[in-house]
Amino acid sequence: MKKVILGLSAMCLIAFTSCKENAAQKIDEANVAVAAERDAVASKFPVLEFDKKEHDFGEIEAKTSVETTFKYTNKGEAPLVITNIKSSCGCTVPQNWSREPLLPGDSGEFSVKFNGSGANKITKTITVTANTEAGSEIVKITAFVKPDPNKAVPAKS
C-alpha cells in the first residue's frame, strides 16, 4: 500500500511540474503600454489657484449681509473637479460653483455670503474640496462686525 501511495505521489509531482506555463509569456505588450500611460497620467493633478486667498469686508454693521466672489483657475495638467465647498460655520454660505470638470487653463468662481453675525474681528474659513494633490484648499473671509446700535446696552451701576 505504501508503494502505491508513493508511486501515485511521484506521478502527481511529475504531472504538476511538467504542465507549468511561463507567466511571462502571457503578458500582452499592448496592455503594458496602456498601463504605463495610465500611470503617467495618474501622477498629473489639477492645481487650484485663486485670485485671492482672503477677502476682508472691513467694518460692517451687525446683522448686515455681505457677499464676495472668489475666482479660481486650473493651473494643472488634468481636469479640475470641485466636489464640495463648505464654510466653518452656518453664518457663511458658499454658493454658485460649477460641478462640471474645469479643463486646464480654464477659470471658474464661487460666491460667499456672510450674514454679519458675531462681534469684533471675525475670520471664517471656506474649504474647497477638489481632486487636487492636497485634496482641499482653504480661503478666508474677515470682517470687523460693529455692535448693533439697536441692541440695548446694560446700564452700569
Side-chain angles (χ1 to χ4, degrees), residues 30-140:
N31 289 342
V32 171
V34 169
E37 184 177 328
R38 179 196 64 224
D39 292 346
V41 170
S43 65
K44 295 179 182 176
F45 290 96
V47 176
L48 185 57
E49 186 174 290
F50 291 95
D51 64 335
K52 59 185 175 183
K53 293 282 252 178
E54 187 170 331
H55 179 80
D56 187 358
F57 289 111
E59 284 189 12
I60 61 171
E61 297 289 332
K63 308 294 184 214
T64 302
S65 184
V66 290
E67 188 172 338
T68 189
T69 301
F70 286 95
K71 296 180 182 181
Y72 54 88
T73 303
N74 179 3
K75 297 283 187 173
E77 298 179 30
L80 172 70
V81 178
I82 295 179
T83 55
N84 194 19
I85 301 178
K86 65 180 180 179
S87 66
S88 55
C89 76
C91 62
T92 308
V93 182
Q95 54 195 6
N96 302 328
W97 78 89
S98 173
R99 273 99 170 144
E100 298 299 317
L102 189 68
L103 297 176
D106 287 350
S107 297
E109 63 183 37
F110 65 92
S111 58
V112 176
K113 189 179 284 188
F114 173 58
N115 69 6
S117 64
N120 300 322
K121 181 75 171 174
I122 302 293
T123 300
K124 303 294 178 184
T125 60
I126 297 93
T127 304
V128 179
T129 306
N131 62 331
T132 59
E133 189 169 10
S136 65
E137 305 291 330
I138 294 178
V139 294
K140 296 178 183 180

